[in-house]
Amino acid sequence: MNPEERLLSVSPGGESFSLPLPEDYPGELERLQQVVNAQRDLGREIVVVMGLGFVGAVMAGVVADAVDKATGKPNKFVIGMQRPSVRSFWKIPLFNRGISPVEAEDPEVVPLIRRCVTEKKTLMATFSEDALSLADVVVVDVQCDYFKEDLGDVQTGHAEIAALEESLRIIGDKIRPECLVLIETTVPPGTTEYIAYPIVKKALERRGLNSAEPLLAHSFERVMPGREYVASIRDFWRVCSGVNETARQRVTRFLSDILNVEKFPLTVLDRPIESETCKIVENSFRATLLAFLDEWSLFAERNGVDLIKVIQAIKVRPTHSNMIFPGPGIGGYCLPKDGGLGVWAYRTLMGFDDEIFKLTPMAIDINDTRALHAAELVRDALRNMGKIVAASKIAVLGASYREDVGDTRYSGSEMLVRKLTEMGGEISVHDPYVQHWWEFEKQDTYPAPGHSWSRFFRNQEKLTELRIQQDLGEALKGADAVVLAVRHQTYLSLSPDELLDKVGKPCAVVDCFGILDDSRICRYLSLGCEVKGLGRGHIKRLKDQIRKI
């Protein structure tokens, strides 16, 4: 094949890399064998991290940065493995230069990857699945998603585990029988025992290893995007388990080597299904608490109550101090889907057909559609100023799912933009932490073909042209409505006078996240703006006070 005919993978920075050809694989394996032999001579355990995505890339760095707690010397050598697709092959050459393939607000991520690759030389990346044959430990960070067939009805969806199943088949065909396989992915309860074990066991038997028992373990990550990204992996509590006693001992020892278990002790459960259920219940509990406040948000709006003040009054009680206002939707990768994995597992893996799940799916459905009410508030605020959405420019401030991070996965802002676009609005977006909003720019293929939320709305085609404005003034200029969608520090410190100066005229202001205190609401009202907010039913009272003055 001529060089110009080879498939290319393009990095976010625009650099192109040719995908490997079949003849490139033998040389790659020889390179890996030489590197691994040298590392074994140094007494280091060989760890392959499968999947260099949001979790896997940093997990690889944390493992590679670990040292023997007695000698202070590195005791792990890590090979990050990424399949060579057009979409993601670029990660491998960048990783091998010491460049992190994931963007993160945590200032520790970039030096962590660079240090391990270029200084400590305990980390590298490869496209070859043959790396698995050299591993003492394989950490599986392959995405397991949940596909929602309908908006607002999670129970019609299904877990997407095909990529994980294929990865497990490859692992079974490649690993040595004594290799520990640690599934770190959030999976439907029962996956390790009902799916992974049979796949790997049968693969070992096909290789003539009939007496070999797979050493499978599960330990879910609790990654938190933001400035504590690395710490949320290394310096945080972990739960783990294995399919047998040997696997439990191995995974306990491995995690104890790489994590700060002295300060954050491990919890070792009896079976992987318990570890898997732990993650699902943990996130479903959080999602349910947030969904619970949706109905009270509506109550507050209709009865003159400021729910933000109510929550603040409740939070002084220590038992309720973690109460959080849900904003325009519950985003991030975990909370919008994890409960669905549990419901699907109960029906599909365990084979039950009764309806025991009530709160868990209901919470997801409420959270998924909350942003639609935010769009209604925009409509109503514009209507009160004699305008309609279809003839208005609407500036959305905040694209990410939570404050001061750049993660846009399942953000409430996406649903808000899509609904306002369906209603005919012209949308501009600003977010200081987001360079590209791939859910729009690549909505035909991201996160996968046919998976975009665009399928639930009309009039979405031109949203591939939507770009995040880095200049706040440019995003706000001439806006008829401004939506404060995320509690970024930039917006918390933005005064009404500053905002109106950038907009150039009175406008509708919609507060989705309790960003505005009463003094700022009153200032907007006195400047001729119309103000509405999720859970902010007291605004009419403030407006009446301004009129009296």
Side-chain angles (χ1 to χ4, degrees):
M1 180 181 290
N2 295 327
E4 60 270 17
E5 297 176 345
R6 295 179 66 170
L7 294 174
L8 297 177
S9 177
V10 182
S11 73
E15 189 173 0
S16 296
F17 301 93
S18 297
L19 267 63
L21 299 174
E23 55 263 33
D24 296 324
Y25 282 78
E28 179 70 0
L29 175 58
E30 184 177 349
R31 180 175 78 98
L32 291 172
Q33 289 171 329
Q34 291 175 352
V35 171
V36 166
N37 289 337
Q39 293 295 324
R40 289 200 191 281
D41 289 342
L42 295 172
R44 294 173 181 169
E45 191 172 41
I46 308 303
V47 180
V48 172
V49 176
M50 198 172 191
L52 294 177
F54 193 75
V55 175
V58 180
M59 179 62 174
V62 168
V63 179
D65 203 39
V67 297
D68 186 284
K69 294 177 181 179
T71 66
K73 295 181 179 179
N75 60 357
K76 302 282 187 288
F77 180 77
V78 180
I79 303 171
M81 196 184 93
Q82 182 72 42
R83 299 185 74 175
S85 66
V86 170
R87 178 174 170 180
S88 58
F89 174 71
W90 59 267
K91 296 178 182 180
I92 298 168
L94 290 187
F95 207 84
N96 285 329
R97 295 178 194 168
I99 299 172
S100 172
V102 295
E103 293 184 3
E105 289 73 35
D106 188 345
E108 194 174 350
V109 171
V110 170
L112 171 70
I113 302 297
R114 183 179 63 244
R115 176 172 67 249
C116 293
V117 173
T118 65
E119 298 173 22
K120 299 178 73 172
K121 300 190 183 303
T122 54
L123 179 61
M124 66 175 291
T126 185
F127 57 83
S128 176
E129 295 165 352
D130 287 324
L132 296 166
S133 66
L134 306 172
D136 300 306
V137 179
V138 173
V139 179
V140 182
D141 278 312
V142 176
Q143 184 168 293
C144 177
D145 212 335
Y146 188 87
F147 181 75
K148 297 173 182 175
E149 297 283 355
D150 303 290
L151 180 61
D153 189 358
V154 70
Q155 297 204 58
T156 62
H158 62 272
E160 296 204 315
I161 60 173
L164 179 61
E165 289 175 312
E166 177 61 20
S167 297
L168 290 166
R169 280 189 280 270
I170 294 167
I171 288 170
D173 288 340
K174 298 287 185 179
I175 61 168
R176 298 176 299 163
E178 64 271 20
C179 176
L180 172 69
V181 179
L182 169 57
I183 299 173
E184 193 175 38
T185 305
T186 300
V187 294
T191 295
T192 304
E193 296 170 60
Y194 296 0
I195 295 177
Y197 179 87
I199 288 175
V200 177
K201 177 65 174 173
K202 290 174 183 177
L204 292 174
E205 290 173 350
R206 285 195 300 270
R207 294 163 57 190
L209 301 168
N210 295 337
S211 62
E213 276 297 307
L215 297 179
L216 291 166
H218 181 265
S219 178
F220 60 89
E221 46 76 20
R222 283 169 164 153
V223 166
M224 283 297 295
R227 298 187 67 81
E228 302 296 327
Y229 185 8
V230 174
S232 70
I233 295 178
R234 184 187 57 214
D235 303 310
F236 210 66
W237 293 273
R238 276 276 190 140
V239 177
C240 66
S241 189
V243 295
N244 52 45
E245 184 59 30
T246 302
R248 281 191 293 275
Q249 292 176 359
R250 287 280 303 277
V251 71
T252 301
R253 184 167 65 248
F254 174 71
L255 293 175
S256 297
D257 282 349
I258 64 172
L259 305 179
N260 184 5
V261 296
E262 291 76 20
K263 188 173 181 181
F264 304 95
L266 289 174
T267 298
V268 183
L269 299 177
D270 294 336
R271 295 176 57 194
I273 192 173
E274 294 173 326
S275 172
E276 294 160 344
T277 301
C278 185
K279 176 65 178 286
I280 302 304
V281 173
E282 181 175 300
N283 282 339
S284 296
F285 170 74
R286 191 67 159 174
T288 302
L289 285 180
L290 291 162
F292 162 76
L293 286 174
D294 178 73
E295 58 195 35
W296 287 105
S297 181
L298 294 172
F299 172 89
E301 291 170 30
R302 295 171 184 177
N303 292 281
V305 175
D306 184 0
L307 189 61
I308 300 300
K309 293 193 188 79
V310 170
I311 292 173
Q312 290 170 345
I314 294 171
K315 288 176 69 172
V316 299
R317 183 175 178 178
T319 55
H320 292 57
S321 60
N322 66 345
M323 185 178 285
I324 298 177
F325 185 74
I330 312 307
Y333 187 61
C334 297
L335 267 62
K337 70 171 178 62
D338 284 0
L341 296 176
V343 175
W344 180 87
Y346 181 73
R347 293 175 178 170
T348 306
L349 299 186
M350 290 82 179
F352 293 96
D353 59 6
D354 55 334
E355 299 289 340
I356 65 168
F357 287 102
K358 304 292 193 300
L359 294 178
T360 297
M362 184 188 297
I364 294 175
D365 294 343
I366 290 170
N367 293 333
D368 277 355
T369 55
R370 181 169 167 78
L372 302 181
H373 178 55
E376 292 173 346
L377 293 184
V378 175
R379 176 202 63 197
D380 294 347
L382 284 168
R383 185 179 291 168
N384 289 351
M385 298 185 75
K387 300 177 181 180
I388 61 172
V389 171
S392 297
K393 175 184 176 181
I394 302 162
V396 176
L397 303 190
S400 64
Y401 84 91
R402 64 183 286 255
E403 69 273 10
D404 301 329
V405 304
D407 191 346
T408 59
R409 292 177 295 178
Y410 300 120
S411 77
S413 297
E414 180 188 349
M415 189 72 72
L416 174 64
V417 168
R418 292 198 181 282
K419 184 59 181 178
L420 292 172
T421 299
E422 180 178 70
M423 297 168 71
E426 175 192 347
I427 308 298
S428 66
V429 182
H430 174 270
D431 193 303
Y433 298 95
V434 178
Q435 300 296 317
H436 293 277
W437 205 346
W438 298 122
E439 284 84 352
F440 290 107
E441 292 184 35
K442 295 185 177 182
Q443 66 182 15
D444 294 335
T445 59
Y446 185 89
H451 283 213
S452 170
W453 275 351
S454 63
R455 70 188 189 277
F456 297 131
F457 301 91
R458 61 176 289 276
N459 204 28
Q460 303 290 296
E461 294 77 17
K462 291 188 177 180
L463 283 174
T464 56
E465 302 170 8
L466 182 67
R467 297 295 181 269
I468 300 287
Q469 295 280 350
Q470 298 304 308
D471 186 326
L472 179 58
E474 190 64 29
L476 289 171
K477 185 177 179 181
D480 299 294
V482 176
V483 183
L484 299 167
V486 185
R487 290 179 61 85
H488 289 326
Q489 185 58 46
T490 302
Y491 310 143
L492 291 172
S493 60
L494 185 63
S495 74
D497 293 87
E498 290 173 323
L499 188 144
L500 264 291
D501 182 63
K502 296 179 187 297
V503 172
K505 62 182 180 182
C507 63
V509 178
V510 177
D511 181 5
C512 292
F513 239 126
I515 292 172
L516 302 177
D517 59 21
D518 286 1
S519 64
R520 295 193 179 200
I521 293 173
C522 288
R523 181 57 181 163
Y524 277 119
L525 293 171
S526 68
L527 291 171
C529 296
E530 178 70 18
V531 182
K532 288 191 176 292
L534 291 172
R536 314 303 296 276
H538 73 307
I539 292 177
K540 184 180 183 304
R541 185 167 68 249
L542 297 178
K543 186 186 294 187
D544 291 341
Q545 291 173 3
I546 294 294
R547 285 173 178 166
K548 289 179 181 179
I549 295 173

